[in-house]
Every structure is written in structure tokens, then in C-alpha cells.
Amino acid sequence: MLAEVQYSLVELYRQLRLGLWSRAMEAKLDLGHEVSEHAVTRKLNMHILTKFFLMTIMCYLDRTNLAFAALQLNKSLGFSEHVYGVGSSVFFIGYAICQVPSNWVLVKLGAPFWLSILIVSWGVVATMFAGLNSIPQFYALRLLLGVAESGTFPGMWYHLSTFYAEADIGLAYSYVSVGTAISQVIGAPLAASLLALDGFCGLAGWQWLFLVEGFPTILLGIWINRSLAHSPSTAPFLTPAEKTWLLARHESQKSSRAGMPGVEVRPMGAFRSFKTWWLALVAAMEATVKLAIIYWAPLIIASMVGHPVTHQARRLLATPDLSTTALPVNQSPEAQEFGYAGIEETSEALVALLTSLPFGAAAAWMLLTARHSKKTGEVRLHATIPFVISTFALASLAYYIDTSPPLAFLSLLAATSIWGSNGILYSYPAAFLQGPAAATGIALINTIGSLGGVIGPMLLGTIKHSQGTYANAVWFLALLSFLLIFLVYTFPDPGRPTSARGRMSRPSARDHGLASSLASSKQPLLSQITP
């Protein structure tokens, strides 16, 4: 008897949710097809993705402008490769520690308010780098910047999950994640122009870089607080019918997942799921590779530009007198130590501009992979193939980095394929984490993933400092990319996005028929249940 009562209550709860979906469908019909999924998605993209895209660009500009500033800052303040590598990595200590508690606060206070607090905070810290004059200050500011930025990406992912369908969230997050690469494309020429202000008004070029890129972030935080919608029910850009339809879709997805084995809803459930830890390991290894590339790409490219082969080729092209092609010998100790001998004769702007090309390729990889996955409905291979390409590309980079700068640069371009799986992998948690568990799980995945930010930049700096070459460090990155092929391909039940255009995430045919019959029936719901 108790089991029958329990079943009846569960069924009642399920039917109430399905009834909500049915009312949304009726509203859609009664309003003459006023609610269009395409129109709703377009509004969400315009009002949410554009804001998150800008947040991502500013977040990565303020996080990684150190890579461009290092072209002057390391020489100006006498920082060694080890100090630069440690400072790059210290950021991720604060970033990792605060992600989970930050997302808990976001769930309580709401995304608009909490995200704006984070944005303003990291904008203030970013501008403070302009006053940097010692190693302890360098480490302290990097730690504070990591704390301030810690809740940004898990917070954005959780907020997207309250608006977008499971089938669409991977592509939506890909559009947001493209900002991580675009920030480097924008940041490179911007850094080149700001570094050229060296000495203007008594400030070094790297100081102008931190000031100009930090202040707009503060203004962005104020705007986000005023303009970002708190939830579908309060979104001012949606009509009442669209709000009802969007809430119904969200409730339908929750109800369809709630009874499935392995789907976690409670916050601590994310810790119990082995899939969370699996993705966390993937995130940590992936971040080790990606962040090593981000923080060291300008200096690696500078070493290619200053390579004897490259330098002599430029001089041969510049002068017809072969007697003048001798290599320069008056190179500074800093240039020799960092591996970009001859960079004094080479414009730092050239290095910054060349750095934009690999990240432009990374943005293309993300968009093309996510869109093709959405179109075909396939996720496993789309998430795995970028790691296959990056493995071969990184191995090629390690092989050619000390002998052939052109081939090494082409290898670096191909290595950015590792960004291609970004949005797809971030769609995985929606298949087994719901509600508060999703907020906790994505923060946990990012927290463990942040360890890669500690390992990657520091590893390259330490190996380069001790061995005088980037080759062995890049071989290690290639090994990690190789291991990721198997971890990503064997991940259990990654989920399958909806492929056909206009198709929605809906209850099954049986459930939809039940909802329709309940909606059309004149008997109350309780009378439908036999005790």
C-alpha cells in the first residue's frame, strides 16, 4: 500500500510538470504560433551570449595580457623565466580555491549581481598591475586576480543552463568560449600599439597595457548588473508567452532527467558522480596544454623571430650586400636568456601581431566543430578529433622549434585545434547534472581544471630556464594531448545534441500524449490516480 501511495505521488508530480508543458503548447497554438523557438533562441543569443562574449574577452585580456607585457616587463623588472612562469601559475591557485564557493554564492544572489561584483573586482586588480615593481607584488596581484575571476566561467555556464536547452548549450557555450581566442586576436594588435607607448607620460609600455585594458572592465561590470536578465521569468526581452514556453521546456527537461539513473540534482551529488571527476581530469590536462600555449606563445614566437635562420633570412632580403649578413653579437642577456636573440632588432609589434594568428585559428576551430556537431548530432568524435590533430601538431612543433621557425609556426597554428572540443565538452555535464548539482559540478570541474593553469605555464618556464629550449616541454604537452584522445573518446554516455533545425528538447511521445490528454480532460488530476 505504501509503495502504491509513493508511486501515486511521484506520478502526480510528473503529471503536474507535463501539464505545464501542455499549457505552454496550448499557449503557442492559441497565440497563432506566436512562440517560435528560432525567435526565442535569437533573442537569447542577442541578449545573453553577446554579454557573456564580451565578459570572456575582457576576462582573458586581463588574465593573459601578461604574456604580451612580458616582452618588456621581464626586462624592465629583471624577472627570470622561472619568476614569470610562477607568476603566471599563481593566478590559478586563487582561481581554483574559490570557484565552488563562488558558484554557490551566485546561485543564492543571482548571476547579474554576483557576476558584476566579480567583473569590477578583477578590473580593479588588473589596473593595479601598472604599479608593479617587485616579485612579491607580482605574485600577490596574480593571486588576487585569480580569486576575482574564479566564478566567472562556471557562473556563465550555470546561467546559460537556465535559459538554453540541453541540445543547444554546447553550441551556445562555444560562442562564449570563442572569446578566449578572440581576446588574443584583439589583444595582440592592441598590445602592440600600447607597448609602442613606452616612455609616454613617463610610463612604460607594459604599464599602459595594464591601465588601458583594465579600466573598461570596471565599466563592463556596472553594465552587466543593469542589463543581464536574472531568469527566464524576469527577462524583459521575452514576451509572456515566450517566458511560459521557455519555463515549460526547462521543466520538461528536468522532469525527463530526474528519474534517470546517474542524474544528480542535489549540490553534493556532483561530488559523488564519477563522471564529474572524469571530466575534471580531462579539464586539468586540457588546461595544461592550452594555458601553456596562451602564456608562452608570444615568447615562443619571439624566439622564432629572433632565431638565427629567421634573422639571417630577413637581413638577406633587406640588403643585397652579402658581407653585411653577419649575425648580431650585441644581444642583451635578457634576450639571450628568454630565447629571442635578435629581438632588439625586431619590432615587438611584429611578435604581438604574429601571436594573433594562432588564436584566430583557435576561434575558427571552436565554431566549426561545435556547429558541425550540432548539425550532425554526433559528439564523441567531434570532441576527440581536435586532440588527435593537436597531438601531431605539438609533436611537430617540438621537433621543428629549434631548427625551422616557419614549420614550427605552422605547427603552432595547427596545435590550436585543441580549442575545437571546448564547447562540446562543456555540454557533457548537462546530461548527468541538473539544477544545484550542475552549478556545483561545473565549478568543481573548473577547479580541478585550474590545476592545469598552475602546471602548464610553470612547467614551460622551468624547463626552458634549465635546458635553454622549449622542445622538451612541448613534447610533454604532446603527450598530454595524446592521453586526452583516449579519455575523451571513452567517456561514458556523453549525450547527443538535437541535430535537426527547429527541433526542441521535449518529453517522449508517451509523456506528451499523457500531457495532452490531461490538459483536455475535465477531470481533476487526482481522479486520474488509482490508489
Side-chain angles (χ1 to χ4, degrees):
M1 179 65 180
L2 181 61
E4 292 180 354
V5 172
Q6 183 179 6
Y7 172 79
S8 299
L9 291 174
V10 171
E11 189 66 17
L12 173 61
Y13 176 70
R14 188 162 169 265
Q15 290 179 6
L16 284 171
R17 285 191 166 185
L18 292 174
L20 179 59
W21 173 267
S22 178
R23 287 195 297 275
M25 293 299 100
E26 288 178 345
K28 182 176 180 179
L29 293 174
D30 293 344
L31 291 172
H33 298 284
E34 180 184 344
V35 178
S36 163
E37 181 184 15
H38 179 71
V40 172
T41 302
R42 188 170 61 248
K43 288 183 178 181
L44 295 180
N45 293 345
M46 178 63 67
H47 292 273
I48 298 178
L49 290 191
T50 52
K51 294 180 177 66
F52 284 179
F53 180 73
L54 289 174
M55 283 175 56
T56 301
I57 288 178
M58 297 309 299
C59 179
Y60 263 73
L61 276 178
D62 291 335
R63 180 189 304 189
T64 64
N65 55 12
L66 176 65
F68 297 107
L71 295 170
Q72 290 183 358
L73 182 146
N74 289 339
K75 293 181 286 184
S76 176
L77 300 182
F79 289 174
S80 68
E81 289 167 327
H82 177 70
V83 170
Y84 172 73
V86 171
S88 301
S89 299
V90 162
F91 168 93
F92 293 96
I93 297 176
Y95 190 74
I97 292 173
C98 296
Q99 285 204 38
V100 173
S102 178
N103 236 29
W104 285 344
V105 175
L106 180 139
V107 173
K108 294 293 184 182
L109 300 182
F113 176 75
W114 186 242
L115 287 177
S116 66
I117 293 293
L118 296 178
I119 296 169
V120 171
S121 299
W122 96 58
V124 170
V125 175
T127 58
M128 293 173 64
F129 273 85
L132 183 64
N133 58 27
S134 68
I135 294 175
Q137 285 183 1
F138 180 44
Y139 291 162
L141 287 175
R142 289 294 293 176
L143 182 67
L144 286 176
L145 187 63
V147 171
E149 290 192 13
S150 60
T152 307
F153 280 92
M156 286 192 292
W157 187 93
Y158 175 74
H159 199 58
L160 287 175
S161 70
T162 64
F163 282 88
Y164 284 86
E166 291 177 17
D168 298 328
I169 195 169
L171 183 58
Y173 197 82
S174 292
Y175 285 129
V176 174
S177 298
V178 164
T180 63
I182 295 297
S183 66
Q184 307 303 298
V185 177
I186 296 173
L190 180 60
S193 60
L194 293 174
L195 290 175
L197 295 177
D198 192 32
F200 181 69
C201 293
L203 296 177
W206 61 266
Q207 291 177 307
W208 281 112
L209 178 62
F210 288 125
L211 285 173
V212 172
E213 293 187 358
F215 182 71
T217 304
I218 301 173
L219 301 179
L220 175 65
I222 297 172
W223 179 60
I224 289 294
N225 185 44
R226 293 176 175 271
S227 62
L228 184 64
H230 186 277
S231 66
S233 61
T234 60
F237 54 87
L238 295 175
T239 66
E242 289 170 339
K243 294 176 183 178
T244 302
W245 178 83
L246 203 58
L247 288 168
R249 183 177 70 174
H250 188 65
E251 288 297 316
S252 173
Q253 289 180 167
K254 288 173 62 178
S255 63
S256 65
R257 287 284 185 185
M260 295 176 61
V263 176
E264 303 290 348
V265 178
R266 297 179 181 275
M268 299 307 295
F271 290 91
R272 293 192 297 268
S273 175
F274 78 95
K275 294 181 182 180
T276 303
W277 296 101
W278 191 318
L279 287 180
L281 177 60
V282 169
M285 295 172 65
E286 182 187 24
T288 300
V289 179
K290 289 164 65 174
L291 291 164
I293 293 175
I294 286 176
Y295 280 100
W296 284 94
L299 293 176
I300 290 175
I301 291 174
S303 71
M304 296 177 190
V305 171
H307 191 277
V309 173
T310 308
H311 188 79
Q312 185 153 346
R314 283 200 315 275
R315 295 191 58 152
L316 281 169
L317 291 173
T319 175
D321 185 359
L322 295 181
S323 65
T324 64
T325 58
L327 299 181
V329 294
N330 56 336
Q331 296 153 352
S332 71
E334 293 88 352
Q336 294 174 357
E337 179 184 2
F338 277 86
Y340 47 95
I343 193 66
E344 285 81 7
E345 290 80 11
T346 303
S347 171
E348 291 163 345
L350 174 61
V351 174
L353 292 174
L354 286 175
T355 303
S356 68
L357 297 180
F359 296 104
W365 280 112
M366 275 191 279
L367 286 177
L368 292 174
T369 307
R371 290 179 68 88
H372 195 263
S373 175
K374 170 76 174 176
K375 180 180 179 180
T376 62
E378 201 284 327
V379 294
R380 192 182 299 276
L381 287 177
H382 284 81
T384 306
I385 289 175
F387 293 107
V388 177
I389 299 173
S390 67
T391 298
F392 285 101
L394 287 167
S396 176
L397 175 61
Y399 185 80
Y400 288 114
I401 196 167
D402 292 328
T403 58
S404 177
L407 291 177
F409 185 74
L410 291 176
S411 300
L412 180 60
L413 286 174
T416 59
S417 62
I418 196 171
W419 268 264
S421 63
N422 202 50
I424 300 173
L425 288 176
Y426 269 93
S427 70
Y428 282 15
F432 62 93
L433 298 174
Q434 296 290 318
T440 302
I442 195 65
L444 177 61
I445 292 169
N446 273 280
T447 297
I448 304 300
S450 300
L451 296 176
V454 177
I455 298 170
M458 187 183 298
L459 177 74
L460 252 70
T462 301
I463 293 179
K464 174 62 173 65
H465 183 73
S466 63
Q467 300 183 4
T469 177
Y470 295 104
N472 288 335
V474 177
W475 277 118
F476 178 73
L477 300 182
L479 175 62
L480 290 182
S481 182
F482 177 74
L483 295 176
L484 281 165
I485 296 173
F486 298 97
L487 282 174
V488 172
Y489 186 75
T490 58
F491 182 80
D493 187 26
R496 186 175 298 275
T498 303
S499 58
R501 291 183 180 180
R503 197 182 304 168
M504 296 177 292
S505 175
R506 296 176 175 171
S508 65
R510 174 183 176 276
D511 292 340
H512 187 69
L514 177 61
S516 300
S517 64
L518 288 173
S520 60
S521 173
K522 296 182 180 180
Q523 298 179 4
L525 280 173
L526 286 175
S527 65
Q528 306 281 335
I529 302 173
T530 304

